[in-house]
């Protein structure tokens, strides 16, 4: 019985590091890239960005000014956004929030 404890401990540690669908949160984000102003170019870069930041990215729609709306799934969305912002080709990445300027903030 004691011989199984290290195996159980190792298997639990490995399971915790993988992306788990139960703990992932979905967040709409706005992203703008240096050289991916069109949808086709951005879609081609999404797998590499997702792998670099260990999250899931799904294209939603284009915006004006070369920005795009994506759906991001991550265990810790704040860290995922930070990782995306740190990528050299990303101009900006932010949560897509409804803003009401007259009421004093984001909803």
């Amino acid at each position: 019985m004691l011989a199984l404890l290290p195996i159980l401990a190792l298997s639990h540690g490995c399971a915790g590091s993988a992306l788990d669908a139960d703990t992932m949160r979905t967040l709409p984000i706005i992203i703008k890239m240096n050289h991916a102003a069109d949808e086709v170019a951005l879609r081609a870069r999404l797998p590499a960005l997702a792998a670099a930041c260990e999250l899931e990215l799904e294209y939603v729609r284009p915006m004006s000014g070369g920005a795009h709306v994506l759906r991001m799934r991550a265990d810790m969305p704040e860290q995922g956004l930070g990782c995306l912002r740190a990528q050299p080709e990303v101009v900006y990445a932010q949560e897509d929030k409804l803003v009401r300027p007259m009421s004093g903030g984001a909803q």
Side-chain angles (χ1 to χ4, degrees):
M1 182 75 158
L2 292 176
L4 293 176
L5 288 178
I7 295 170
L8 290 173
L10 287 174
S11 67
H12 178 65
C14 293
S17 65
L19 291 177
D20 186 4
D22 294 336
T23 62
M24 294 182 74
R25 291 182 25 218
T26 301
L27 186 71
I29 65 169
I30 298 171
I31 190 167
K32 183 169 181 175
M33 310 268 295
N34 282 333
H35 303 291
D38 67 336
E39 179 180 340
V40 174
L42 180 61
R43 283 182 186 265
R45 287 291 302 139
L46 287 185
L49 284 173
C53 295
E54 297 181 3
L55 46 83
E56 295 177 13
L57 295 172
E58 179 184 351
Y59 191 86
V60 177
R61 64 180 172 84
M63 293 182 67
S64 62
H68 303 270
V69 177
L70 305 178
R71 189 170 297 116
M72 179 181 75
R73 288 179 38 95
D75 287 330
M76 294 186 279
E78 296 78 20
Q79 286 185 345
L81 273 175
C83 180
L84 287 172
R85 290 178 185 132
Q87 302 304 308
E89 69 268 25
V90 175
V91 175
Y92 66 83
Q94 64 188 38
E95 183 177 358
D96 185 13
K97 291 183 179 180
L98 177 62
V99 178
R100 295 188 178 137
M102 299 305 287
S103 67
Q107 299 294 316

